[in-house]
């Protein structure tokens, strides 16, 4: 497989991640992660394990009537069957309060990947918050 193919596949994992959250497709979301994935920066605690993280995200999504995650192109480095990437994100969250309140997040994802028999999977995913805005 060429480096260009690997880069496209890494980008596809992150685009699938975003689409799955916005579509509330938790099976598709879970498929983005390695079993023992480590999740950092999305709260005070580090979350370990794809199943635990997927359940946490599904619960968090209950606060929003809709979301949209806009992803930048990645800055990726690939070494054999491991890779690291920086992906900037703007995430819009419409609150279920019925008044059109919105929470916007500007952030960077620092993501490590591992390639297994099923393709590239997220092995470590860190959120670095750049800014937030809450509108009523």
């Amino acid at each position: 497989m060429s480096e260009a193919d690997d880069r496209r596949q890494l980008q596809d994992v992150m685009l699938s991640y975003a689409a799955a959250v916005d579509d509330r497709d938790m099976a598709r979301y879970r498929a983005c992660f390695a079993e023992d994935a480590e999740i950092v920066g999305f709260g005070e605690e580090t979350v370990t394990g794809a199943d635990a993280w997927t359940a946490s995200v599904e619960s968090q999504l209950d606060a929003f009537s809709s979301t949209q995650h806009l992803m930048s192109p990645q800055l990726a480095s690939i070494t054999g069957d491991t890779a690291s990437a920086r992906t900037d994100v703007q995430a819009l969250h419409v609150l279920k309060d019925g008044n059109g309140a919105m929470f916007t997040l500007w952030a960077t994802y620092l993501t490590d990947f591992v390639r297994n028999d099923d393709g590239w999977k997220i092995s470590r995913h860190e959120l670095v918050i750049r800014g937030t805005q809450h509108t009523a």
Side-chain angles (χ1 to χ4, degrees):
M1 182 159 303
S2 73
E3 183 173 327
D5 289 335
D6 285 334
R7 287 181 182 281
R8 182 190 52 76
Q9 289 177 15
L10 292 171
Q11 180 99 18
D12 283 353
V13 171
M14 293 307 294
L15 293 173
S16 185
Y17 166 105
V21 168
D22 295 340
D23 293 343
R24 307 301 199 264
D25 184 345
M26 292 298 104
R28 182 177 183 182
Y29 186 76
R30 167 62 182 84
C32 295
F33 293 90
E35 290 293 326
D36 59 350
E38 180 182 63
I39 312 301
V40 180
F42 287 80
E44 293 182 22
E45 302 291 324
T46 295
V47 178
T48 302
D51 291 335
W53 176 240
T54 300
S56 175
V57 168
E58 186 170 24
S59 173
Q60 292 172 44
L61 286 172
D62 285 342
F64 309 111
S65 61
S66 64
T67 60
Q68 183 182 44
H69 289 71
L70 305 171
M71 308 287 246
S72 73
Q74 292 175 328
L75 178 59
S77 62
I78 303 163
T79 306
D81 290 335
T82 62
S84 296
R86 172 197 166 121
T87 309
D88 292 315
V89 60
Q90 178 178 315
L92 309 170
H93 304 78
V94 178
L95 301 171
K96 280 187 176 176
D97 68 1
N99 295 323
M102 186 176 294
F103 174 75
T104 304
L105 168 72
W106 296 274
T108 300
Y109 291 141
L110 301 176
T111 310
D112 294 335
F113 301 85
V114 62
R115 183 183 2 227
N116 63 27
D117 292 340
D118 296 325
W120 289 102
K121 302 292 180 182
I122 297 169
S123 58
R124 184 178 188 280
H125 190 51
E126 181 176 355
L127 175 70
V128 178
I129 296 172
R130 305 295 181 190
T132 61
Q133 181 180 27
H134 184 250
T135 58

